């Protein structure tokens, strides 16, 4: 089974690119982030015609996550226990940042769009850390219930866990994505039993998944590695290949993220 994750940065703007990507790579399941639309605003007919079941979760023109699967899609969920709202007060809402479903032979795939954090002293930063804590707790719960659970947390984590995951650490001094608390929250999920499925097949340095549209970051090779697929032990044993499709960042109308692809033999 071939799964992929991709921050598409507006599905309505890039439906044709997603359709072509699915066909070109023969993808069975795709986790999408940053849909920037409510489900009723999306035309999913091209995916449905190709045999994909679709589950989309979006509340407005921001955020939004989804799953496309041609190997079944059941038991869709859009939250976990202790997931924080934003703002974290009586006015807060559960943002559309996570969705999961059972695909293939009993695999629980999560599509995650982790909060950005904005600035270190911004309330969004504390929200980001608590949001990651909730993901970690869900991972721990799943493994405690079944050590052989087939679970993948895939998506845009908005964390660069290693120094080599950014083009220049000096450029991020005092900024989010590389701080110790953010990295600790990421590694807590790994330490809970969910290994990075892609890095062994696509090691750094200089291997990225995101390049800002500004300042010609892509041609300058000034990127960040912030998109991941973290899998439980049962999934780790099933991985046979993985890669980052950097070519999808090229050309007119590209997303600022590249897809991450994992091949499994379950």
């Amino acid at each position: 089974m071939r799964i992929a994750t991709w921050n598409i940065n507006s599905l309505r703007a890039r439906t044709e690119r997603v359709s072509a990507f699915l066909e070109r790579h023969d993808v069975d399941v795709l986790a999408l982030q940053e849909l920037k639309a409510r489900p009723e605003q999306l035309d999913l007919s091209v995916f449905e015609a190709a045999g994909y079941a679709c589950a989309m979760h979006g509340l407005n023109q921001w955020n939004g996550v989804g799953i496309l699967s041609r190997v079944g899609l059941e038991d869709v969920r859009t939250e976990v226990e202790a997931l924080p709202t934003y703002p974290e007060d009586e006015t807060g809402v559960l943002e559309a940042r996570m969705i999961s479903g059972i695909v293939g032979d009993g695999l629980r795939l999560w599509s995650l769009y982790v909060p950005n954090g904005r600035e270190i002293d911004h309330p969004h930063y504390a929200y980001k850390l608590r949001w990651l804590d909730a993901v970690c707790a869900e991972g721990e719960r799943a493994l405690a219930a079944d050590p052989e659970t087939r679970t993948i947390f895939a998506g845009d984590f908005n964390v660069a866990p290693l120094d080599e995951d950014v083009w220049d650490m000096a450029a991020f001094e005092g900024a989010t994505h590389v701080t110790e608390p953010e990295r600790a929250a990421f590694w807590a999920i790994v330490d809970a039993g969910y290994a990075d499925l892609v890095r062994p097949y696509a090691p750094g340095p200089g291997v990225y998944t995101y390049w800002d549209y500004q300042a010609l970051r892509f041609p300058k090779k000034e990127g960040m590695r912030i998109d991941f697929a973290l899998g439980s032990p049962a999934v780790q044993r099933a991985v046979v290949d993985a890669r980052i499709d950097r070519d999808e960042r090229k050309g007119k109308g590209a997303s600022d993220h590249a897809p991450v692809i994992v091949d499994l033999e379950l």
Side-chain angles (χ1 to χ4, degrees), residues 44 51 56 63 92 95 136 138 177 218 227 229 235 237:
L44 304 173
M56 301 289 150
N63 309 325
E95 295 185 305
C136 184
E138 170 61 21
H177 290 61
F218 185 69
D227 302 85
V235 174
R237 296 192 295 269

Side-chain angles (χ1 to χ4, degrees), residues 175-205:
T176 61
H177 290 61
V178 299
T179 66
E180 189 280 329
E182 291 169 288
R183 288 179 166 182
F186 178 93
W187 289 114
I189 301 172
V190 175
D191 291 342
Y194 296 85
D196 184 339
L197 303 178
V198 180
R199 196 181 296 269
Y201 296 87

Side-chain angles (χ1 to χ4, degrees), residues 51-240:
Y52 289 88
C54 309
M56 301 289 150
H57 179 41
L59 301 178
N60 47 42
Q61 73 271 31
W62 310 111
N63 309 325
V65 285
I67 296 175
L68 305 176
S69 173
R70 65 180 184 186
V71 291
L73 180 55
E74 301 176 346
D75 192 25
V76 174
R77 299 171 56 188
T78 58
E79 60 182 274
V80 296
E81 292 183 9
L83 189 67
T85 63
Y86 190 78
E88 295 186 72
D89 56 30
E90 65 277 2
T91 69
V93 297
L94 285 174
E95 295 185 305
R97 291 185 175 275
M98 65 164 52
I99 191 170
S100 77
I102 301 296
V103 300
D105 187 12
L107 171 66
R108 167 77 60 185
L109 176 67
W110 288 92
S111 178
L112 306 179
Y113 182 33
V114 176
N116 177 279
R118 301 180 187 173
E119 299 172 354
I120 294 175
D121 59 354
H122 195 285
H124 209 259
Y125 178 80
Y127 165 61
K128 176 180 188 175
L129 297 180
R130 281 189 277 274
W131 203 94
L132 284 166
D133 287 346
V135 173
C136 184
E138 170 61 21
E140 292 173 337
R141 184 208 61 75
L143 278 174
D146 178 10
E148 289 302 309
T149 183
R150 294 173 172 178
T151 298
I152 295 178
F153 295 108
D156 178 357
F157 281 74
N158 270 316
V159 178
L162 299 176
D163 287 358
E164 68 179 32
D165 293 336
V166 297
W167 82 90
D168 182 6
M169 279 295 293
F172 289 84
E173 184 176 356
T176 61
H177 290 61
V178 299
T179 66
E180 189 280 329
E182 291 169 288
R183 288 179 166 182
F186 178 93
W187 289 114
I189 301 172
V190 175
D191 291 342
Y194 296 85
D196 184 339
L197 303 178
V198 180
R199 196 181 296 269
Y201 296 87
V207 176
Y208 308 126
T209 63
Y210 165 83
W211 301 258
D212 196 303
Y213 290 129
Q214 305 298 318
L216 299 175
R217 296 296 186 200
F218 185 69
K220 291 179 181 178
K221 300 181 180 180
E222 295 177 348
M224 304 174 68
R225 187 172 188 154
I226 57 176
D227 302 85
F228 300 94
L230 306 183
S232 62
V235 174
Q236 296 165 35
R237 296 192 295 269
V239 178
V240 294

Side-chain angles (χ1 to χ4, degrees), residues 5-15 17-19 21 30-36 64 156 213 227 248 253-259:
T5 180
W6 193 3
N7 179 321
I8 197 59
N9 192 11
S10 178
L11 181 56
R12 285 183 290 179
R14 297 182 174 85
T15 297
R17 288 190 78 116
V18 173
S19 179
F21 168 77
L30 175 60
L32 288 166
Q33 301 87 45
E34 207 169 353
L35 303 181
K36 292 186 173 180
D156 178 357
Y213 290 129
D227 302 85
E248 274 294 344
S255 170
D256 44 4
H257 292 251

Side-chain angles (χ1 to χ4, degrees), residues 236-254:
Q236 296 165 35
R237 296 192 295 269
V239 178
V240 294
D241 195 15
R243 57 204 172 279
I244 297 165
D245 184 3
R246 187 179 182 277
D247 287 344
E248 274 294 344
R249 180 58 178 82
K250 299 177 181 178
K252 184 178 180 180

